[in-house]
Amino acid sequence: MEELLKIKSCCSFFLLSLLAFLLLLPPFAVAETHYHEFIVQPKPVKRLCKVHNIITVNGKFPGPTLAVRNGDSLVIKVVNVARYNVSLHWHGIRQLRNPWADGPEFVTQCSIKPGGSYTYRFTIQDQEGTLWWHAHSRWLRATVYGALIIYPKLPSSYPSLMPKREASVLLGEWFDRDPISVLRQALFTGAAPNVSDAYTINGQPGDFYRCSGKETVRFAVDSGETILLRIINSALNQELFFSVANHQLTVLAVDASYTKPFTTNVIMVGPGQTTDVLLTANQQPAHYYMAATAYNTALNAAFDNTTTTAILEYKNCQQHQQQPPRPIMAQLPNFNDTPTATRFTSQLRSPNRVNVPTRIDDSLLFTVGLGLINCTNPNSPRCQGPNGTRFAASINNVSFVFPKSNSIMQAFYQGVPGVFTTDFPPVPPLQFDYTGNVSRGLWQPGRGTKAYRLKYGSNVQIVLQDTSIVTTEDHPMHLHGYHFYVVGSGFGNFNPATDPARFNLIDPPVRNTIGTPPGGWVAIRFVADNPGAWLMHCHIDSHLAWGLAMVFLVENGEGELQSVLPPPPDLPPC
């Protein structure tokens, strides 16, 4: 009996000691599941002196911010009570083995019809930083978007000291008409769509637009305080320069991937891209404009040449002055200042050495750019593009046509024929001087719903080559389901014999959206380790509507953990 008591006593002491030890350890948070209901609905909103019935989520413009931690899961029921079909995309989320939650209509799902609903279910895996969500159905993205912020797991922390305060800065475009009507008119006439009437910061145009000054967004700071700005370009069609008057910005991350910190007084952010910066309020107490304006690289193309503003206001400046001071204006580059944009992007580097694929299985050269469709009756109402043509866009001379009766992912998964083909060309069908004087015979692309197959685990390199057809231009290219290493870029035509020697295979930046230098090329690499159908497209939405897109079909690997999940039972019907 004594021996038994001794054993019990020893066990009790051990358990108490273990409990005391565990209590001294930092708390480990259990991953959470976040439940949301997104009601897609119309709401009257006044901008530029007019009231418009815009499409919103839960009546908010911009829509709700999603704040989660790495490892958390989201369950988001989307209920469509608007008059248009809709689908939502969680931009930059890798959606591992789960293309059903990715969202682009007629690629991974059919859209949610009015009166219908669909629940997106996905888990954040090894990602943290600033991303965003938006409609991926026609031009509903003009007003249907919001921030998606991923914090580190607990007890993990950021790689550098972060301030206690942060703010999301969503840059957008405002149309004084229904954006769907603007798109419909452009697709009917074949001409370029009307440009936006204003840019916005968090949904507000700012002081330089009519009937807008009272609602200008304000960010209050204490003197000496450092804040984190999460900058998101939600604009439909425009790359943007962003600056804060008299303040330096320290870049920490792009597209939810950390960078080697560097300081700059201006950033360039393309549609779809995000940039995290630190700002220290180290100037004389006053009011300072945050401002964004167009970076436009297409020659002789109309664009919205206005400037949106918000105000960075020092709190102690407010307290000591009865009349608010006139904000100090930010210095922004000229709209065509490619050297400034290039200087910014060339400074982006990963913080440490990264594991870049060096043995390439699929080496692809994609020409990206505009084109023109010739018309048999150039004077018709449907041929209002240059010289009686219709605008088009393409990759490797294939202008992408979205299916209408089924989604590519459903057809791929279920083996349904006739929805797409797998003969997307890995290189341009014809070689030519891509950035030189291109023969007019090469300006008209073919049309098709074509995909390119990749084996699971293959190492992929894509060189995205801009062309001078119609005009050279910076095309922000977004790859769904993946992030990738940007290993090189340059102007002119890519030279496979000499340019790879200059690739950065040590610490290239990691992105999900990258621009082609106007009249140049950019090279990216990734491992095809996420099975499914994944859209790659220009994030200028007018170019997407014209066909600047293609689809990668990544095959299943071996076993369940390398295979696509079964489709959810509530996937919207086609």
Side-chain angles (χ1 to χ4, degrees), residues 74-76 90 95 98 100-101 118-123 568-570:
L74 291 102
V75 178
I76 305 171
W90 320 95
Q95 304 291 5
N98 188 21
W100 313 110
Y118 177 48
T119 300
Y120 293 89
R121 297 175 174 87
F122 56 93
T123 298
D570 64 336

Side-chain angles (χ1 to χ4, degrees), residues 334-400:
N334 291 329
F335 73 88
N336 57 356
D337 192 344
T338 292
T340 292
T342 303
R343 189 161 50 248
F344 171 74
T345 55
S346 66
Q347 293 182 80
L348 297 170
R349 294 284 189 275
S350 288
N352 305 298
R353 188 185 185 103
V354 292
N355 188 22
V356 183
T358 54
R359 177 188 56 80
I360 301 302
D361 302 303
D362 291 84
S363 184
L364 311 174
L365 175 63
F366 285 0
T367 54
V368 297
L370 304 184
L372 297 175
I373 302 292
N374 296 324
C375 293
T376 54
N377 182 7
N379 296 319
S380 74
R382 295 187 62 82
C383 294
Q384 299 299 304
N387 302 313
T389 61
R390 293 179 57 83
F391 271 110
S394 68
I395 301 178
N396 278 357
N397 205 46
V398 178
S399 186
F400 188 78

